[in-house]
Amino acid sequence: MKIYVPRDAAARSLGADKVANAIVLEATKRGVTVELVRNGSRGMVWLEPLVEIETAQGRTAFGPVTVADVPALLDAPDTHPKAQGPVELIPWFAKQTRLTFARVGLIDPLSLSDYEAHGGLAGLRRALEMDGDALIDEMKLSGLRGRGGAGFPTGIKWDTVRLAQADQKYIVCNADEGDSGTFADRMLMEGDPFTLIEGMAIAGVTVGATKGYVYIRSEYPDAIHQMSEAIRIARMNKLLGPSLLGTGPAFDMEVRVGAGAYVCGEETSLLNSLEGKRGTVRAKPPLPALQGLFGKPTVVNNVISLATVPWIFANGAQAYKDFGLGRSRGTIPLQIAGNVKFGGLFETAFGMSLGEIVNDIAGGTATGRPVKAVQVGGPLGAYFPVSKFATPFGYEEFDGQGGLIGHAGIVVFDDSVDMLQQARFAMEFCAVESCGKCTPCRIGAVRGVETLDRIAQGDAAAMPLLVDLCDTMRDGSLCALGGFTPYPVMSAVTQFPDDFARLREAAE
Amino acid sequence: MLDTADFTARLREIIAEHLPLEGPLLPILHAVQAEWGHVPEAAVPVIANALNLGRAEVHGVVTFYHDFRHVPAGRTVVKVCAAEACQAQGGRDLVQATLKAFGLKDYGTTLDGKVTVEPIYCLGLCACGPAALVGDRLLGRATAQSIGEEVLS
């Protein structure tokens, strides 16, 4: 009997380890031999721990499974009250287009043979047969843009690094996924770490880099463990090392652990941190592509960007480009979070409207109350009111509505949320996490909290001051932390004016 | 204890182990904290000397990052997520309830040194919040009660 119990952090936080132990214990009691695989998560977090049993007809899902459900799971799975049917036919799963996440939840994350059996390494093998120009052309054609949030075309970034002359170049993977409401990087590293290794290796081959770093935040101990193990296994099997797969150029990589600074998700700050310095932001230019880690040409890409590369090379750039909307090509792993009925990771082509995502996919709020606001793109993303639900999910489309898609985290709030409090939190967070290098961010965030407190006390004169302060932060900050904090603040002010006027009226 | 020869010897071992790395300072500081539960002030000049850096520079790095402690934490560290996705699922109330359960007015360590409660900004458990980390154990859909039980277990 082959049984899958996720070792994904979300599943573990909901008791997956206890369920796995109970399965082993109950199976031993019954004299049943169980092959237990700790897979990644299929992304349906409301069903976690989601246990799968392999049958002749495929894998059947059960969830959310508790320890008490386990005996019946072994004795009479067909009539189990938590049975969800074949996992890939669950509508929430079946509706997706899983390219980057195709193997997450499907395979044993640390089995290289399982990885290869499900299409792994095909991209790298093809890339090793191509020359530099062809590799770059493929990346440019795919239309892949940085999934960390900035949306810069990946092929152009790689070309800049490729054309730079240097004795050493680096591939740096930004796995400092600090945005609240996002967990795609974490799920991918925990559920299919070899994909990221393969993507970084292809990047290395393309630009002529021999060394890679994955900078993972310390808040992700499970991802750190899985990536470190996967790198060790990859090295043992000659996937990484002096010659990629035994025929290619040299490429090796290692994991580096962050230390709780949100700002290190900003690429130049991350590079400073990797060098062992304070994680302050660097002024650009020079671009990291030309003078990055230790002053050498460096590709800095998000986990999802790099993990999508193997699919592009295995299936062709055109196949990837055929998905999407406008200038947003391919798929995006939406992370549906906050107050929702059905939260989790939903990979789909760009173009779905925000309303479809929130109402149809997420099923509205878990509390059953009306949706009031949806924050898209993390702590630096705008709050969207229901009146903007027609906005299609794409880089330009969200920009046009005064927001951003960021790393595609979607946090839903019901009508009990106080938007003044949320605006204050955005400033407070910026003040806590500011690296301190530029004044608009370092001082502005503190003044922002004070100004919002004045507004809360009914001081009418404070509102123009807040607007002015937000302008200064947006135009004068060195990076997106200070520069984008005005997004949540000003979207709260303009889209939910009642929350800012209520107290003022009371004071008058 | 920390100014003994043992301390310096162990610290030099840790430094030597990480010295071949490119940019070894953060890995060293993580290892130091794993060993002593914080980064002792006495470690700073030794590290600075080994890496050919100024003491101020090392001090600057230690104090820049939230993770590095200047004094040891309580026996169990409870980190409650204070970020937006958890706020949307009752995170603000959970923070308050947790502090109250341990008799704390604000983030910090209980007088008996048993528990430290701190905020954390996102554990990546945003679809099953509010989330908390008790020691090294993750809790989804956490309550003050489930946190309390985990601290005792």
Side-chain angles (χ1 to χ4, degrees):
Chain A
M1 203 176 189
K2 197 167 182 179
I3 302 184
Y4 295 81
V5 182
R7 85 168 301 292
D8 176 273
R12 293 184 68 213
S13 82
L14 298 169
D17 289 350
K18 283 177 186 151
V19 169
N21 289 340
I23 287 172
V24 173
L25 191 76
E26 293 293 331
T28 314
K29 266 193 212 164
R30 286 163 177 73
V32 178
T33 315
V34 162
E35 188 192 339
L36 185 72
V37 178
R38 299 302 301 269
N39 57 339
S41 167
R42 297 276 191 165
M44 295 173 278
V45 176
W46 77 97
L47 289 177
E48 294 289 359
L50 180 115
V51 175
E52 294 173 47
I53 298 181
E54 196 160 270
T55 68
Q57 292 79 42
R59 280 156 66 165
T60 313
F62 303 85
V65 174
T66 63
V67 171
D69 293 324
V70 171
L73 199 65
L74 295 173
D75 295 336
D78 295 342
T79 55
H80 201 285
K82 300 272 180 81
Q84 302 287 341
V87 65
E88 282 164 2
L89 296 184
I90 297 174
W92 206 87
F93 191 87
K95 263 189 269 183
Q96 300 183 44
T97 304
R98 285 172 87 97
L99 311 182
T100 310
F101 279 77
R103 278 179 298 263
V104 175
L106 182 64
I107 63 165
D108 176 348
L110 294 178
S111 163
L112 199 52
S113 56
D114 216 2
Y115 178 70
E116 266 197 273
H118 289 90
L121 299 181
L124 178 58
R125 291 214 167 89
R126 179 168 168 243
L128 286 173
E129 286 165 7
M130 296 163 77
D131 69 20
D133 286 324
L135 287 161
I136 287 291
D137 288 347
E138 190 77 356
M139 281 309 292
K140 285 185 179 166
L141 176 66
S142 74
L144 181 68
R145 293 167 69 179
R147 295 289 187 253
F152 188 81
T154 308
I156 293 175
K157 189 185 274 186
W158 286 18
D159 205 18
T160 310
V161 178
R162 184 177 73 105
L163 297 174
Q165 297 296 319
D167 54 346
Q168 175 73 58
K169 298 177 188 178
Y170 293 102
I171 308 296
V172 170
C173 172
N174 183 345
D176 194 41
E177 186 179 49
D179 288 355
S180 174
T182 65
F183 42 84
D185 297 355
R186 178 185 67 65
M187 278 187 56
L188 189 115
M189 290 187 288
E190 290 173 7
D192 191 14
F194 291 121
T195 303
L196 179 55
I197 294 175
E198 187 182 345
M200 288 179 71
I202 295 172
V205 171
T206 307
V207 307
T210 53
K211 178 87 198 187
Y213 288 99
V214 190
Y215 185 94
I216 309 178
R217 58 202 298 263
S218 61
E219 292 87 344
Y220 282 180
D222 290 11
I224 293 165
H225 171 269
Q226 291 289 86
M227 274 317 301
S228 307
E229 275 300 292
I231 290 171
R232 191 183 60 79
I233 293 164
R235 213 176 272 147
M236 226 164 59
N237 289 279
K238 300 198 165 57
L239 162 55
L240 292 171
S243 172
L244 284 168
L245 294 173
T247 59
F251 187 77
D252 211 332
M253 57 189 278
E254 59 185 84
V255 168
R256 283 298 170 87
V257 180
Y262 173 76
V263 74
C264 288
E266 197 284 331
E267 60 176 359
T268 61
S269 161
L270 186 152
L271 293 173
N272 275 340
S273 185
L274 266 178
E275 291 180 9
K277 299 174 182 155
R278 300 164 71 231
T280 48
V281 173
R282 297 177 187 171
K284 286 192 270 192
L287 291 171
L290 298 172
Q291 289 179 46
L293 188 60
F294 302 109
K296 305 293 185 186
T298 304
V299 168
V300 187
N301 276 147
N302 170 256
V303 174
I304 302 303
S305 312
L306 288 163
T308 302
V309 170
W311 194 96
I312 292 170
F313 278 87
N315 299 276
Q318 189 61 47
Y320 190 74
K321 195 188 179 179
D322 287 344
F323 293 101
L325 165 82
R327 288 177 52 214
S328 307
R329 307 315 310 173
T331 59
I332 181 85
L334 302 170
Q335 298 126 83
I336 301 171
N339 190 345
V340 288
K341 268 201 193 80
F342 309 119
L345 187 131
F346 190 96
E347 183 176 349
T348 184
F350 282 99
M352 198 178 258
S353 76
L354 183 59
E356 267 179 281
I357 296 166
V358 173
N359 294 325
D360 303 344
I361 308 298
T365 64
T367 46
R369 300 174 68 100
V371 173
K372 176 165 170 181
V374 181
Q375 189 177 28
V376 182
L380 308 175
Y383 285 98
F384 278 69
V386 175
S387 60
K388 288 192 174 186
F389 268 17
T391 313
F393 210 88
Y395 293 99
E396 280 69 29
E397 291 72 14
F398 265 63
D399 186 49
Q401 290 298 321
L404 49 101
I405 65 168
H407 189 45
I410 294 165
V411 178
V412 178
F413 292 80
D414 72 11
D415 63 354
S416 65
V417 67
D418 175 356
M419 297 309 293
L420 194 152
Q421 212 179 13
Q422 295 310 116
R424 187 188 191 278
F425 177 80
M427 285 292 190
E428 202 186 329
F429 184 71
C430 181
V432 171
E433 298 297 338
S434 175
C435 83
K437 179 145 177 168
C438 73
T439 319
C441 173
R442 183 184 68 243
I443 309 282
V446 178
R447 294 289 172 261
V449 172
E450 293 166 2
T451 310
L452 279 156
D453 283 345
R454 282 174 56 188
I455 293 170
Q457 284 155 17
D459 182 348
M463 188 53 91
L465 203 60
L466 181 71
V467 175
D468 194 38
L469 178 65
C470 281
D471 281 346
T472 304
M473 287 176 72
R474 193 180 52 235
D475 298 339
S477 297
L478 208 48
C479 84
L481 180 50
F484 287 6
T485 294
Y487 273 104
V489 176
M490 288 314 296
S491 62
V493 169
T494 54
Q495 305 298 326
F496 307 92
D498 291 356
D499 284 8
F500 293 80
R502 199 179 55 231
L503 287 154
R504 192 163 67 219
E505 281 160 12
E508 283 161 1
Chain B
M1 174 203 120
L2 291 184
D3 50 8
T4 61
D6 281 357
F7 167 72
T8 314
R10 178 70 191 116
L11 178 59
R12 285 192 197 286
E13 262 174 43
I14 290 172
I15 294 169
E17 202 180 307
H18 294 93
L19 217 48
L21 299 177
E22 293 183 308
L25 183 51
L26 253 67
I28 289 173
L29 293 175
H30 276 301
V32 166
Q33 178 144 312
E35 181 85 15
W36 290 290
H38 68 302
V39 180
E41 195 64 49
V44 171
V46 184
I47 296 169
N49 196 25
L51 301 189
N52 200 22
L53 294 170
R55 285 161 69 162
E57 222 165 315
V58 176
H59 175 81
V61 172
V62 174
T63 51
F64 181 88
Y65 295 95
H66 299 306
D67 278 4
F68 299 128
R69 300 179 184 283
H70 316 299
V71 291
R75 200 182 309 154
T76 307
V77 178
V78 175
K79 295 185 180 189
V80 187
C81 183
E84 291 92 336
C86 284
Q87 288 170 7
Q89 300 167 84
R92 288 177 195 267
D93 291 342
L94 178 65
V95 169
Q96 291 312 316
T98 305
L99 290 172
K100 198 176 159 211
F102 293 110
L104 289 165
K105 283 206 173 65
D106 209 339
Y107 296 118
T109 303
T110 54
L111 284 176
D112 60 10
K114 278 188 180 154
V115 178
T116 297
V117 180
E118 291 175 343
I120 191 165
Y121 295 101
C122 199
L123 290 159
L125 307 176
C126 318
C128 54
L133 181 68
V134 179
D136 61 357
R137 294 180 304 277
L138 293 163
L139 290 182
R141 296 190 200 104
T143 59
Q145 191 183 344
S146 71
I147 290 172
E149 284 165 9
E150 204 62 57
V151 168
L152 291 176
S153 73

